[in-house]
Structures are given as structure tokens and as C-alpha cells.
Amino acid sequence: MIAVDTRERYPYRFAPQGAETVRETVPAGDYAIERKSLENFAATLSDGTLAFQLQRLAELPLAAIVVEARYSALYKLEHVNGSWLADQLARLEVRYPEVHLVFADSRRFAEEWTYRFLATALTDAADPSPNG
């Protein structure tokens, strides 16, 4: 069972993986993973709200941001300088190394990565030994 934040407008369904979802309030992110389209990622990186989201995510035992695009797409956006975005992103990654950041190429692959991340986190929580 995967908890999806009630504020999430277009949640992953996890149908290909056969997982069930339930809507509830999550302390940070959409699933303890913040999912972002490229446009949303660039906007929140530009206006500073991504820094606040990372700060909240860093308070969780395990968290990540998954971007539904390639890293190189940052450099192809029309209304913002890609190098500036990359600099801002690097600063945040250094400041919050405990939050994983993944560029997953597309929504489909972002959903797949999210499912695998959450499934592994659940398995590790159930059996925290290093050999799993």
C-alpha cells in the first residue's frame, strides 16, 4: 500500500506494478518522494521553493525527488538559463545530500523508479540487516 498525498493532483497509479494506493496527508513530498515535471522542477528551482521542499524532505528518514525528464533538458528551456539552473541545483544537492535526486527521462520511468525506491525502502525497514 502506497500513501499518496491528498494535495497531489496527478498521482502515479502504480498499476503496472500491481500496487495499491491510498490518499492521505504525507508530511513532505507526494510519497516521501517529490515528483516533478521538468517545468515544475525549473519553476520551483528558480523561485526558491525547491529549497524549502528539500529542507522538509531532509527531515524524513528517507526521501527523494524524481524529475520526469532528462538532466540535459534543463539546458533547453526557453525562459531560464540552463547553466544558472544547474548551478542552483548543485548548491541544493550539496546542502541536502541526504535527499536523493533522480532524472528519470519520462513520467513512465519516474513512476517505475518511485515504485522500486519505495519497495526497497519498505523491505529494508522490515529487515534492516546489511545483507537484506
Side-chain angles (χ1 to χ4, degrees):
M1 184 66 66
I2 298 174
V4 178
D5 192 79
T6 55
R7 296 165 293 205
E8 174 59 28
R9 291 178 52 194
Y10 305 105
Y12 296 144
R13 301 205 188 288
F14 300 107
Q17 297 85 5
E20 293 182 41
T21 60
V22 62
R23 301 283 274 191
E24 59 186 54
T25 302
V26 203
D30 305 323
Y31 318 86
I33 294 177
E34 183 69 32
R35 96 179 164 77
K36 300 277 187 195
S37 67
L38 178 64
E39 294 75 19
N40 181 254
F41 182 72
T44 58
L45 189 55
S46 296
D47 69 15
T49 57
L50 186 64
F52 294 111
Q53 292 171 339
L54 278 164
Q55 182 179 14
R56 284 195 337 251
L57 287 168
E59 295 170 1
L60 298 173
L62 188 62
I65 291 181
V66 60
V67 183
E68 299 171 345
R70 293 178 183 219
Y71 177 79
S72 61
L74 285 176
Y75 292 90
K76 297 174 185 170
L77 293 169
E78 289 183 31
H79 303 292
V80 65
N81 182 298
S83 294
W84 182 83
L85 284 176
D87 286 342
Q88 300 310 307
L89 178 58
R91 284 186 184 99
L92 290 176
E93 287 188 273
V94 168
R95 185 175 295 157
Y96 301 104
E98 62 272 60
V99 179
H100 303 275
L101 177 68
V102 173
F103 284 86
D105 193 47
S106 68
R107 181 177 170 90
R108 180 179 138 224
F109 289 120
E111 179 178 344
E112 183 65 30
W113 183 88
T114 299
Y115 172 77
R116 292 177 186 283
F117 184 84
L118 292 172
T120 301
L122 180 62
T123 300
D124 283 1
D127 181 12
S129 69
N131 296 324

